[in-house]
Amino acid sequence: MRNIKLTIEYDGGRYDGWQRLGKDESSNTIEQKLLEVIRKMTNENVVLHCGSRTEVGVHAYEQVANFQTKSGMRPLEMKHYFNRYLPRDIAVTYVEEVAERFHATLNVKNVTYVYRIAVGDTIPVFDRKYVYYCFGKLNLDKMKEASELFIGTHDFKGFSSVKKSKKSTVRTMESIDIYSDGNEVQITMKANDFLHNMARIIAGVLIEIGEEVQEPQVIKEIFESQTRNEEIEMADAKGLFLQEIEY
């Protein structure tokens, strides 16, 4: 069996995330669209592993996935086949054959997400589907001060949608960088893994701190209580992008 690694970019706006299982199982997922093409291309029903399961409406600059196949098609032929039959809002940018031991999920070292916030005088017409527009001015100094409280190894249960789980909710946040060019603020988060909706909730907390609706102290309170006040909203999914997965 050959082990094939895919690098993928997609606009998640009209999809139910990378994958939906259980009661919320859906065929309108990024994973399902790729599996349909793989089935057509190889005449095989494969298992597709991904680096980070993006949620409903979240985009990806660089998702990574892998599957095993008996197909003799060359990687470049596979790339062309994918991009011929996939919807235009999903693209396979690179295909390569890798060692059998490579696993897109289990071998991940770090995942980076970036959250985009428009802060100009007007809502950007052409980027409006891919940025959250903040009507007020953001206090970047407070946001940067608050972001330092996330760095390190913590139990991030309070910063996720996880209700009950037998799996650990402890994660290590490697870095959070906040950058502004005057028209857009970007929050770049790198961690060894992200819990369900963790990136959107962290972005939402930092936005409210930047708007001076909340104080940085709220982050310590959430870590201590492991619960989040429902008044602190998750940031809109359309502004979140999976930027990079490191192996």
Side-chain angles (χ1 to χ4, degrees), residues 59-165:
H59 318 292
Y61 290 125
E62 189 178 294
Q63 174 70 276
V64 176
N66 79 291
F67 66 95
Q68 294 193 332
T69 179
K70 295 179 181 178
S71 171
M73 288 181 71
R74 291 180 296 140
L76 186 59
E77 291 175 321
M78 289 184 180
K79 176 184 174 180
H80 290 162
Y81 194 98
F82 274 115
N83 292 323
R84 178 179 179 185
Y85 291 105
L86 282 169
R88 296 285 77 87
D89 49 8
I90 305 173
V92 172
T93 59
Y94 196 66
V95 179
E96 61 182 313
E97 186 169 355
V98 292
E100 184 180 353
R101 65 182 180 276
F102 175 80
H103 192 291
T105 306
L106 300 180
N107 295 156
V108 172
K109 292 182 179 178
N110 285 304
V111 179
T112 300
Y113 278 92
V114 59
Y115 195 84
R116 298 176 57 193
I117 309 160
V119 292
D121 292 337
T122 57
I123 299 174
V125 172
F126 298 108
D127 279 348
R128 71 191 186 283
K129 296 180 181 178
Y130 308 103
V131 294
Y132 167 76
Y133 183 71
C134 183
F135 287 89
K137 188 176 181 181
L138 293 175
N139 185 327
L140 297 182
D141 290 335
K142 272 198 171 183
M143 291 174 70
K144 291 175 181 178
E145 174 193 344
S147 70
E148 292 296 320
L149 299 174
F150 288 111
I151 306 305
T153 301
H154 308 280
D155 188 338
F156 280 90
K157 182 180 179 181
F159 293 93
S160 76
S161 298
V162 174
K163 300 280 194 237
K164 295 181 180 179
S165 176

Side-chain angles (χ1 to χ4, degrees), residues 15-32:
Y15 295 103
D16 295 328
W18 172 266
Q19 180 187 64
R20 277 289 174 272
L21 299 173
K23 294 180 181 179
D24 298 326
E25 187 170 355
S26 168
S27 60
N28 185 37
T29 62
I30 305 297
E31 179 192 54
Q32 188 59 36

Side-chain angles (χ1 to χ4, degrees), residues 171-190:
R171 297 292 185 270
T172 300
M173 184 68 70
E174 299 289 342
S175 64
I176 297 183
D177 295 316
I178 299 174
Y179 164 82
S180 174
D181 64 2
N183 292 313
E184 184 174 311
V185 173
Q186 294 186 356
I187 303 171
T188 304
M189 300 165 267
K190 179 192 283 191

